[in-house]
Amino acid sequence: MNEKGLNGKGQIITVCDTYVDFNHAMFYDPNSTFDVNIPLNHRKFVYYSFNGTVEELEQKISKDEHGTHVAGTIEGESICSSNRGDKFENFNLFDGNAPKSKLIYFKLNSFTIEKEIQIMNKFGSHISSNSWDYMTFDDEGNFEYGMTAYENPDKIF
């Protein structure tokens, strides 16, 4: 799909999950500083929502890698390269489905749906991946996102 031009270029995808490791090779930007709760001029992130400092975020990232996994599968784009000449030379084989897209991040259960929509609208994001991790069906959450999708027909949740 990527070779046919379907690579996410021009898209901003919102991910609501556990923390995404901004230092991971799929997201790291050696040419940009990283911060939270402000617009970013970053290789992969346009916005990273976090209640705390970057230093506090770095301490929490290692506790749960699910958000990094999910965001990497969706939009990771490795900055790694190899001159080994073997089958692992082409690291982009491990990129996500939309490696040219950018990312808005929210930590699961740390924001309101209104805040998510506000930030999505600000940056032009129309796609939101939400790993809710409910053990049983959640009538309230399902209703809230169903109504939000109904009220925002330009968004996919």
Side-chain angles (χ1 to χ4, degrees):
M1 301 263 301
N2 290 174
E3 291 172 6
K4 299 288 185 192
L6 296 172
N7 57 19
K9 186 174 182 173
Q11 297 299 310
I12 297 173
I13 301 171
T14 302
V15 172
C16 305
D17 206 297
T18 62
Y19 302 111
V20 175
D21 184 352
F22 60 92
N23 286 316
H24 190 283
M26 292 291 174
F27 306 105
Y28 183 71
D29 184 349
N31 301 313
S32 175
T33 57
F34 182 86
D35 209 339
V36 293
N37 304 318
I38 63 167
L40 297 171
N41 184 19
H42 189 273
R43 180 177 82 89
K44 294 305 291 180
F45 292 96
V46 297
Y47 188 85
Y48 197 113
S49 176
F50 178 71
N51 295 325
T53 65
V54 173
E55 292 77 21
E56 292 168 329
L57 173 59
E58 287 181 307
Q59 292 174 3
K60 293 183 178 277
I61 285 173
S62 65
K63 293 184 175 35
D64 190 345
E65 296 293 327
H66 191 259
T68 302
H69 156 72
V70 168
T73 300
I74 295 170
E75 58 210 324
E77 184 179 29
S78 181
I79 61 168
C80 296
S81 63
S82 172
N83 295 322
R84 296 176 1 177
D86 62 15
K87 65 182 178 181
F88 296 111
E89 186 174 300
N90 190 356
F91 278 92
N92 69 350
L93 293 173
F94 303 106
D95 287 351
N97 290 294
K100 299 299 181 191
S101 64
K102 293 203 172 198
L103 170 63
I104 293 172
Y105 168 78
F106 285 97
K107 181 175 184 321
L108 191 61
N109 300 323
S110 69
F111 61 93
T112 64
I113 189 74
E114 293 82 13
K115 176 72 172 177
E116 181 182 2
I117 292 296
Q118 175 191 10
I119 296 296
M120 288 178 75
N121 286 337
K122 179 176 182 171
F123 292 99
S125 176
H126 298 280
I127 303 166
S128 181
S129 171
N130 301 270
S131 293
W132 296 321
D133 193 31
Y134 293 123
M135 298 303 285
T136 60
F137 187 78
D138 176 29
D139 286 327
E140 186 177 315
N142 188 56
F143 179 79
E144 182 178 24
Y145 271 89
M147 286 303 298
T148 301
Y150 177 76
E151 293 166 354
N152 296 274
D154 65 322
K155 308 271 189 275
I156 297 172
F157 294 93

